[in-house]
Amino acid sequence: MSEPGRIVTGCLAPHPPHLVYAANPEQNEPRSSGAGAWAPLLEGYARLRESIKDKEYDVILVHTPHWKTCVGHHLLGVPHFEGLSVDPIFPNLFRFHFDLQVDVELAQAIHDEAEKEGLVMNMMRNPEFRVDYGTITSNYLVRPAFDLPIVAISSARTYFDYSDEAGEREMLALGAATKRAVEKTGRKALLLASCSLSHRHFTDEPADPEDPSFEHIYNENQSKWDHHVMNLMQTGQTRRLLEEMPDFIAQANAECRDGSLTWLLGAMDVPNMEAKIHGYGTVIGTGNAIVEWDLAAAEVQA
Amino acid sequence: MSDGRVLGAYLVPNQPLPCMAPEQSPAWQSLHDSYAKVRAEIEASEADLILIFSTRWVSIIGHQMQADPEPDFWVVDEDFHQFGSLHYKLRIDADFAATYRDCAKARGLEARTVAYQGFPIDVGSISALKMLNPDNRIAAGIVSCNVYSDRAETLVLGKAAADAIKQSGRKVILLGVSALSNRMFTEWIDPQQDRIHSLKDDEWNRKLLELLGEGRLEDVSQLSREFSRQANGDSKMKAIWWMASAMGQTNDYRGTVFDYQPVWGTGAALVGLTPAKNLGGGLEYDEDDTDFFRGDRNVLSTAKQKEVKP
């Protein structure tokens, strides 16, 4: 009998397209100046890549705020996508030629497990569907080679259509369903919650978008919340983080309202382990943390 | 002297289903058929530009104006991908986009044109243009809906549109791509049984349509905040604010409600507004008016920078 699957590592892996722009990969059409505005985040992603480089995983799962769905939760259900992804918000920075594989079997398994939880689930089977830039960005920053299949899960609008509390319950259920599907299919999975922390943007941009003198957190309130949340992560207080999540969302305009972080915590059984903060920085005023919950290492220690 | 002016305006739905799959629902079919009446009106006009404000094109960096003269791509709806893809090839008035950008900047707004191969033009604009201007006989312009802008900023954006229309000499039909009530069903429904999400949403929609049918666009603009609170109005009803502002903030229109139907629970209406003299009656303004945008008011950031002495 094959070995049951497991989640190897869970990461908070925000998706500012600015970071892809700054990295100047050949797949991205625009070229950056290299002025360095987002260096702390690029360095954080480098540390995350170093931390996971020797881990064994065979699929990357990403929950993305930039595939927004009103009719339940959707999963990519086509084995291969390639094309051009132009960010509708920052088209000057992100015009990325992507080519990626999808683990449709695992996606279907998550779909089926989540339906058992009573969630509305949908498989996306249209081969012309444009994969959102959040999925592409987080995957690129974590594993630029795109040499492993992915699973991409949309962000249902439950928080917006009903309430933050209803959204939280649903994302914990989706996380639990994701965990079961990973275990049943025997996958070794890396999970990415593709979201920022505080999420208030500046509505203008300097002539050089990478100008470091322009970049700072939108205001002190956002910064304090971000640091408080990172402290909870670092000290293993994920239960408390979930308890405070609706306040965080409301008071810091947190992108966690798109459900990604709570899905991740739910999939990891809300671990009380200390998370590793690889980096924190701002992009056009938003607060972004790169965080790792190294479940594999915790298992070895136990 | 330039004779640029707005010939009329239409409010059209934000969902693609009446365009993509009308046969699946009597409501969607009805909207699909009613689009033909609006199309006939537009074709009979002297318009040389259809200018769209779409709630489905969200921006963060100020306001974006589509300026690719011939965008040629496709769009797949995030929810309704099983209904197929919308392939498009449009004719965009790039010169007007640049003029609109400059007029917006002159009123203090952050604005820029975008012209990139593969740019994902929003599904609301594409559906509207496919239904109302299928052969690109009239050039189009599209402006985004900034996620952070409120009434004041949206009014300024509308006034900048009026400036640009006057300056460019274009004869323009405005399209507001927007739902009325915007609560969608969050599960799969039988399209045959589509209905407005709740009776309350339906009642509010009908009240708004009663006013629009009387041509009272500015009254609807003044009522938009309350409507949005009560009926989950689409994007605070910014499309209404923009249209009302671009047309001069009056009630002097001949209003026609061509249709009103549910689309996946949302209130989807086709409404026409043609300028007409002395139909509006008195105006009661509760909302402020703004001519120039002075930027975001980041209260906490400002407080941090200034020393407060007791």
Side-chain angles (χ1 to χ4, degrees):
Chain A
M1 189 182 156
S2 64
E3 195 184 335
R6 64 198 161 86
I7 295 167
V8 176
T9 290
C11 306
L12 180 59
H15 59 256
H18 305 64
L19 303 183
V20 175
Y21 169 74
N24 275 322
E26 63 179 17
Q27 301 103 310
N28 199 34
E29 290 178 3
R31 298 288 100 189
S32 80
S33 70
W38 312 296
L41 284 165
L42 289 167
E43 289 160 10
Y45 264 114
R47 282 190 284 273
L48 173 61
R49 286 194 297 272
E50 179 65 22
S51 176
I52 63 176
K53 76 174 168 32
D54 295 327
K55 293 188 191 308
E56 273 187 49
Y57 58 96
D58 47 31
V59 62
I60 299 175
L61 278 63
V62 57
H63 186 277
T64 173
H66 284 280
W67 178 10
K68 299 179 192 299
T69 51
C70 294
V71 190
H73 309 264
H74 298 223
L75 298 114
L76 294 183
V78 176
H80 175 240
F81 287 96
E82 64 178 300
L84 172 64
S85 174
V86 179
D87 178 355
I89 295 168
F90 299 103
N92 52 327
L93 307 181
F94 190 87
R95 305 191 298 278
F96 194 93
H97 295 266
F98 64 93
D99 185 339
L100 50 85
Q101 310 294 324
V102 175
D103 186 339
V104 178
E105 184 191 342
L106 176 56
Q108 184 69 54
I110 294 169
H111 169 281
D112 297 347
E113 287 297 324
E115 271 195 342
K116 289 181 200 162
E117 298 267 354
L119 302 181
V120 176
M121 303 299 297
N122 299 288
M123 293 296 289
M124 202 304 297
R125 308 271 190 204
N126 186 330
E128 292 191 310
F129 188 76
R130 201 178 314 202
V131 179
D132 72 284
Y133 73 88
T135 294
I136 294 169
T137 297
S138 291
N139 272 283
Y140 171 79
L141 293 166
V142 170
R143 195 173 173 103
F146 287 96
D147 55 352
L148 289 178
I150 70 159
V151 169
I153 310 174
S154 77
S155 170
R157 304 286 81 196
T158 317
Y159 293 77
F160 300 84
D161 288 336
Y162 296 99
S163 68
D164 292 339
E165 287 75 9
E168 287 288 285
R169 284 195 298 275
E170 207 165 298
M171 295 315 295
L172 286 172
L174 183 63
T178 302
K179 179 174 188 283
R180 286 199 306 276
V182 167
E183 288 168 351
K184 285 184 179 176
T185 53
R187 302 295 197 273
K188 292 190 272 298
L190 177 74
L191 267 56
L192 307 180
S194 172
C195 69
S196 301
L197 295 178
S198 68
H199 201 235
R200 182 54 165 98
H201 301 80
F202 297 115
T203 57
D204 54 1
E205 194 177 59
D208 176 1
E210 209 175 349
D211 178 356
S213 67
F214 177 83
E215 194 59 73
H216 61 89
I217 192 80
Y218 191 82
N219 64 36
E220 194 69 5
N221 168 69
Q222 312 289 77
S223 171
K224 282 198 159 58
W225 260 112
D226 286 347
H227 284 88
H228 172 66
V229 163
M230 285 190 288
N231 180 53
L232 294 178
M233 293 172 174
Q234 228 167 356
T235 54
Q237 298 184 72
T238 45
R239 283 272 161 215
R240 182 172 163 190
L241 172 55
L242 285 178
E243 284 163 11
E244 295 184 12
M245 191 71 85
D247 286 335
F248 177 46
I249 288 169
Q251 294 178 26
N253 195 32
E255 201 178 28
C256 302
R257 200 178 190 201
D258 289 282
S260 308
L261 179 57
T262 301
W263 163 79
L264 176 67
L265 294 175
M268 296 189 300
D269 262 345
V270 195
N272 58 5
M273 63 182 291
E274 293 171 4
K276 205 183 299 176
I277 311 283
H278 288 292
Y280 174 75
T282 69
V283 176
I284 199 153
T286 65
N288 298 276
I290 298 154
V291 185
E292 180 187 4
W293 283 267
D294 188 347
L295 300 183
E299 208 170 76
V300 171
Q301 283 169 9
Chain B
M1 189 181 155
S2 160
D3 61 348
R5 64 187 191 277
V6 176
L7 303 178
Y10 297 91
L11 181 69
V12 303
N14 70 357
Q15 292 289 345
L17 294 171
C19 173
M20 297 180 75
E23 71 289 349
Q24 299 214 9
S25 158
W28 308 348
Q29 185 69 57
S30 174
L31 285 164
H32 178 274
D33 297 346
S34 298
Y35 267 115
K37 296 176 199 158
V38 177
R39 183 167 65 239
E41 276 200 3
I42 293 174
E43 282 174 355
S45 76
E46 297 172 4
D48 49 25
L49 175 67
I50 295 174
L51 181 58
I52 298 174
F53 176 99
S54 174
T55 60
R56 299 295 297 267
W57 181 11
V58 170
S59 61
I60 285 173
I61 304 299
H63 307 274
Q64 301 192 132
M65 289 82 179
Q66 182 54 243
D68 181 350
E70 201 171 76
D72 184 357
F73 222 71
W74 67 90
V75 62
V76 178
D77 188 80
E78 291 179 301
D79 270 299
F80 301 119
H81 34 76
Q82 73 274 35
F83 291 100
S85 315
L86 283 170
H87 289 256
Y88 58 83
K89 188 170 187 175
L90 307 177
R91 181 160 73 93
I92 297 289
D93 187 337
D95 290 340
F96 180 82
T99 304
Y100 192 3
R101 175 201 60 205
D102 294 344
C103 289
K105 284 185 170 182
R107 283 184 178 268
L109 295 167
E110 181 78 18
R112 66 183 178 196
T113 52
V114 296
Y116 301 105
Q117 164 64 20
F119 184 91
I121 296 182
D122 69 281
V123 73
S125 296
I126 297 299
S127 302
L129 287 171
K130 277 190 175 291
M131 297 307 297
L132 298 176
N133 189 37
D135 54 2
N136 291 319
R137 192 176 65 80
I138 304 170
I142 311 172
V143 63
S144 68
C145 175
N146 184 287
V147 71
Y148 294 114
S149 70
D150 204 83
R151 186 172 192 275
E153 187 172 349
T154 310
L155 290 193
V156 176
L157 184 68
K159 290 177 182 180
D163 298 342
I165 290 165
K166 194 171 177 188
Q167 206 176 105
S168 67
R170 302 289 194 275
K171 298 183 188 66
V172 179
I173 295 290
L174 302 178
L175 289 189
V177 174
S178 174
L180 298 175
S181 66
N182 200 32
R183 281 192 185 92
M184 291 174 69
F185 292 110
T186 55
E187 57 197 13
W188 292 108
I189 61 168
D190 174 2
Q192 295 282 330
Q193 307 298 321
D194 202 352
R195 60 176 173 79
I196 300 294
H197 195 280
S198 70
L199 180 59
K200 186 161 77 86
D201 285 358
D202 189 30
E203 288 167 344
W204 269 103
N205 290 338
R206 288 179 190 279
K207 184 63 194 173
L208 227 61
L209 290 171
E210 179 189 327
L211 299 178
L212 289 171
E214 293 170 1
R216 294 163 61 189
L217 178 58
E218 183 55 26
D219 281 353
V220 172
S221 174
Q222 297 281 323
L223 191 62
S224 287
R225 284 191 204 278
E226 186 61 24
F227 175 80
S228 295
R229 270 192 294 268
Q230 297 286 342
N232 195 31
D234 184 5
S235 307
K236 300 184 189 173
M237 304 308 290
K238 289 179 198 179
I240 290 283
W241 287 337
W242 176 81
M243 284 201 304
S245 170
M247 293 178 79
Q249 295 167 288
T250 78
N251 285 329
D252 289 337
Y253 305 102
R254 192 181 69 248
T256 308
V257 178
F258 291 93
D259 207 347
Y260 165 59
Q261 301 289 342
V263 178
W264 216 272
T266 66
L270 282 163
V271 179
L273 294 153
T274 310
K277 293 279 182 209
N278 304 319
L279 290 180
L283 293 168
E284 184 176 320
Y285 287 161
D286 296 320
E287 291 273 14
D288 200 4
D289 191 11
T290 312
D291 291 319
F292 191 87
F293 183 64
R294 298 183 194 284
D296 291 331
R297 288 177 295 174
N298 189 345
V299 177
L300 291 176
S301 184
T302 305
K304 186 179 167 242
Q305 287 164 11
K306 289 183 180 170
E307 192 181 345
V308 180
K309 292 181 179 168

